[in-house]
Each structure stands twice: as C-alpha cells, then as structure tokens.
Amino acid sequence: MSDTHAQTVAYVRDTMLPEQSPPSTAAGPIKWAVENLFSSVLNTILTLVSIYFLWAVLAEVLPWVWHGSWTATSLRECREVIAAAGREHGAACWSVIGERYLQLFYGFYPSDLYWRVNLAFVLMLVALAPVLFSNLPRKMLWFSALYPFVAFWLFWGGSIWTPVVILAGFVLGFLALEYLSKMIGSLGGVIAALLVPVIWWLVLAGPVATGLHAILPIGIEEVESAKFGGFMLSIIIGVTGIVLSLPIGILLALGRQSDLMIVKAICVGFIEFIRGVPLITLLFVASTLLNYFLPPGTTFDIVLRVIIMVTLFASAYMAEVVRGGLAALPTGQYEAADALGLDYWKATRLITMPQALKISIPGIVSTFIGLFKDTTLVSIIGLLDPIGLTNTIRADSNWNGIVWELYGFIALMFFIFCFSMSRYSMYLERKLKTGH
C-alpha cells in the first residue's frame, strides 16, 4: 500500500452508532424470570409445579368469587339463583355483604350519626400523616396530639368538657415534670408527672367537668359502647393500642436497663408478667374483674377497659423489641454520647433511641400487625367486632348457614390494613437506610 493511500484512511470514528435496547433475555421480565424462576433444572420443576398448583386453586376459587349473587335477599333465594344459573352451590352469595356491610363497618352505631365516625376516621388520617411522613409541616403534630381527645368526643359524644378535663390532666403532668424536676430532681419529677394526672383524673376531673358543663353546656348526643361494633371497633382498639404501646414500650425498655433497682424491678416484673399471660385472660380481667378494684359506684366503659388491657399487653412486647434494638447498638455509640457530655435523656433522645428504633422497625411493625389482628379476640367477651357480628348476622333466619362469604370479606379487610402497615414498614426501612 502506498504512503499516499495510507494517509487518506481515517482510523478514528467521527460518528456514533444509534443506541439500541438490550436483548430481551438480558433485561426486563424475561431476564428476571430466567434468573429467579428457571435458573436451574430444580427451580424450573418447582416453578412449573407451583404454576400448576396456583392454576388448580384459582380455577376453583375465581369462578366461585366472580359468579356469585349480589341481588338475593336471603341465603335460600341466593342458592336458587345460583342453581338456576347451572352452578348449584358452586358460587358465593355476596348478597349478605351488600345487605349488611354497614353493620360490619359500624356495628349498631346510630345510622344518623355515621358522620361522626366518618369524620373521626378522616381526622385520624390527618393526625397520622405528620407522624408517618416527615416531609409534612411539623406544626401539624399539635393536631396529632389533640386528636385522641377530639376522637373520644366524636365517638362517645356527651359533654365537650369531659375530654377537656382529661387533656388538662396531661398538661398538669407535663407542668409537674417541667418545674418539679428542677426542685426535687429528675426522678422525683417523673414520679410527680405520673401521680399528678392520676390524682386529677380520679378525684377532681369528674366534679370539674360537671361544673363546667353546668356553666356552659356544650355537647353532642351520647352513644353507649354497647352500640360500637364492626371494623369501627377493631380500628378504635387497634389504632389506640398501636399509638400508645410504642411510647410506653420505650419507657419500659429504658426502665428495664436502668441502674435504679426499684425502677428496673417494676419494669421487669410488669414485662414478664404480661408476656406470661394470654391476651384473652387479660380481656376477661378487663370485662369482669377490673371494676372490683375501682371505688364503689364507679362505672368504667368496657371499651376503654379493653383498650387499656390491649395497650398494656402490646407495650410489654414492644418493650422487648425496643430493648433488642438497644442491645444491638455498638458500645461506641454510648461512649460517643458520654464523650460529647450529653446527659442520659439527651443521649437517649438524640443518639441511642433513634438508632435502636431504626433497627427495630421490622419487629415493631410485626407487633403492630399482630396487635391489630388480636382485636378479633374481643368477640369472646361479648364485644361485637366483625367476627362477633357474624354470629349476629347468621342468627337472622334469612342468612342462617352462611359462613365463607362473611369470613372471606372480613379476612380481605384485615389483609388490606395489615398489608398497608407492612408496605409502610418497607418504605420506612428504605428511607432510613444509610448503607455501609
């Protein structure tokens, strides 16, 4: 080749080829299926067997679900409609859900007062939003703190001064902690912060609320707890137990690790006793025995008694979950807090507890989910949660004998709530993941 020809040939690319998508087997669903479902002979066999099993189950379940009746007014009529369609009893009778769904959601709460329940649940979402999502304005936390008292008034009704004087007890406890701690020490301040609200609620709250209502009568129609039921009751007990058990569990976990012998003994005794007793036993105590420990003539709402017992039960388990998170922290974290000159409470609030809670997220959410599902146990003591209402619905001669449709609908609703909590847990873990 001549030198002149060699100088005219360009060996540096001056144009780029257009981008092309990767082969279908190297990206997307096909790549995922190859790597996860058909990566070996054994995985391929297991995948095919699983697909056949799912097909066999769904082939029976889906027609039963989709071809059910929604228009019948009784189980007998529903079966006649299904049989006329050539399916005999091979389809669901969803008519019972269409007829009784309000009862499954609200129990026997007065229908003209459903707006109060709906408003309370909408406000609950607003109150939970700044707690669950940190990008919202922090000022909304003030409403989150006030919401329990607003919800109590909306659900039970009566005088508005009742939740006000209950709230005043917490304010007095905070003031006692804030000012008495400087005079009698931090431990004395904590004890005072616990005793002052209890004395206020047991001795002064009732007369003060009665006096304020006599001066300025503001209230709404009162609804007794016997009319509470359905998913409304489960959500009230579950959400209240979830919200209260976390801070109580944190205090119990810190108390169990305390160097103060009395505080540690009380926390250990409480945790071990509660964890050693079945929840159903505590519910029976709440429904029958708790009134014996109250002053004569005292009436204590059964739903509030159950909420207290469920909260205490969940708090004991929550304490162990949080203690596990604290135990998982490296010793250097405690030493770093000491090196910065932080006192116990600041070190706990700023350094150790945030990391312990982050580690404990799966266990915390698992406890929450278990607590929410355990609310169905209240049917054993006569409260009409969704499971308890199924007996009431089946007692009607029109629906006597129907089972699967009611339990299937209740299971679906519980799955939606529990799956949502699980998804939020995964979101929170991804958000707080710092990596290594």
Side-chain angles (χ1 to χ4, degrees):
M1 183 180 295
S2 64
D3 294 339
T4 304
H5 180 69
Q7 294 175 357
T8 60
V9 178
Y11 289 96
V12 179
R13 182 185 299 278
D14 55 6
T15 59
M16 297 297 294
L17 295 175
E19 293 185 2
Q20 296 181 358
S21 58
S24 58
T25 57
I30 295 179
K31 179 178 182 291
W32 180 88
V34 170
E35 292 181 350
N36 295 276
L37 302 179
F38 304 99
S39 58
S40 66
V41 175
L42 179 59
N43 282 351
T44 301
I45 294 174
L46 292 175
T47 299
L48 295 177
V49 171
S50 300
I51 291 174
Y52 174 77
F53 175 77
L54 290 175
W55 175 83
V57 172
L58 295 178
E60 296 294 330
V61 173
L62 291 181
W64 182 83
V65 173
W66 298 123
H67 296 289
S69 172
W70 287 90
T71 57
T73 58
S74 67
L75 180 59
R76 184 173 184 177
E77 180 184 345
C78 185
R79 288 174 175 173
E80 291 174 354
V81 171
I82 293 172
R87 295 188 174 275
E88 297 184 357
H89 302 310
C93 185
W94 298 118
S95 306
V96 64
I97 304 300
E99 182 178 305
R100 297 298 186 98
Y101 74 94
L102 288 176
Q103 190 176 21
L104 287 171
F105 279 110
Y106 299 100
F108 295 99
Y109 207 86
S111 58
D112 58 325
L113 300 180
Y114 284 169
W115 66 270
R116 282 164 45 176
V117 179
N118 297 335
L119 177 60
F121 285 141
V122 170
L123 293 178
M124 180 186 72
L125 298 178
V126 176
L128 289 176
V131 178
L132 300 178
F133 304 101
S134 59
N135 55 348
L136 295 176
R138 296 291 90 189
K139 291 183 179 180
M140 292 179 63
L141 290 172
W142 286 105
F143 177 75
S144 302
L146 294 175
Y147 170 76
F149 308 97
V150 176
F152 174 86
W153 185 57
L154 288 174
F155 284 128
W156 274 272
S159 173
I160 195 174
W161 299 111
T162 300
V164 169
V165 296
I166 295 174
L167 174 61
F170 288 100
V171 174
L172 291 174
F174 173 77
L175 294 177
L177 178 65
E178 185 73 15
Y179 293 103
L180 294 181
S181 297
K182 301 175 182 178
M183 301 170 56
I184 58 178
S186 58
L187 179 59
V190 171
I191 296 174
L194 296 175
L195 291 179
V196 169
V198 172
I199 295 173
W200 167 263
W201 291 326
L202 292 179
V203 180
L204 300 174
V208 170
T210 303
L212 290 174
H213 187 71
I215 298 172
L216 190 61
I218 302 176
I220 55 180
E221 181 180 347
E222 192 170 352
V223 179
E224 58 181 346
S225 294
K227 295 182 179 180
F228 286 30
F231 288 103
M232 180 189 82
L233 180 62
S234 295
I235 294 174
I236 290 174
I237 297 174
V239 172
T240 306
I242 287 171
V243 171
L244 295 179
S245 65
L246 181 58
I248 297 176
I250 291 173
L251 292 177
L252 288 172
L254 294 176
R256 184 160 190 165
Q257 292 188 327
S258 174
D259 295 330
L260 299 174
M261 184 183 67
I262 297 178
V263 174
K264 182 175 182 177
I266 293 174
C267 292
V268 170
F270 174 85
I271 292 171
E272 296 303 326
F273 173 77
I274 295 295
R275 293 175 70 230
V277 178
L279 176 58
I280 187 60
T281 303
L282 297 177
L283 293 179
F284 276 120
V285 170
S287 64
T288 58
L289 299 179
L290 197 58
N291 276 341
Y292 290 108
F293 299 96
L294 298 175
T298 303
T299 57
F300 199 178
D301 190 278
I302 179 63
V303 174
L304 294 180
R305 281 182 270 161
V306 169
I307 288 175
I308 291 173
M309 285 301 179
V310 169
T311 300
L312 295 179
F313 181 81
S315 299
Y317 284 87
M318 189 62 63
E320 290 300 279
V321 172
V322 175
R323 188 170 70 91
L326 290 170
L329 288 181
T331 308
Q333 296 296 320
Y334 296 94
E335 295 173 349
D338 293 337
L340 291 173
L342 300 177
D343 60 24
Y344 174 79
W345 292 109
K346 285 185 178 180
T348 301
R349 180 170 60 89
L350 299 175
I351 296 180
T352 58
M353 188 54 65
Q355 296 182 72
L357 292 178
K358 174 186 170 183
I359 296 172
S360 306
I361 286 175
I364 290 173
V365 176
S366 178
T367 304
F368 286 166
I369 292 174
L371 169 62
F372 187 72
K373 292 188 294 184
D374 284 343
T375 58
T376 55
L377 293 175
V378 300
S379 61
I380 299 176
I381 60 173
L383 294 182
L384 296 177
D385 75 312
I387 300 297
L389 281 174
T390 59
N391 297 326
T392 303
I393 294 172
R394 290 200 304 271
D396 186 344
S397 58
N398 289 330
W399 301 110
N400 189 10
I402 196 165
V403 177
W404 290 105
E405 292 83 349
L406 290 171
Y407 288 138
F409 177 73
I410 293 171
L412 175 63
M413 296 302 297
F414 271 96
F415 172 79
I416 292 173
F417 284 111
C418 296
F419 184 74
S420 300
M421 285 189 276
S422 175
R423 292 289 98 184
Y424 175 77
S425 169
M426 297 177 66
Y427 155 78
L428 197 60
E429 287 184 61
R430 290 193 300 269
K431 180 179 178 180
L432 299 178
K433 186 176 181 180
T434 54
H436 297 283

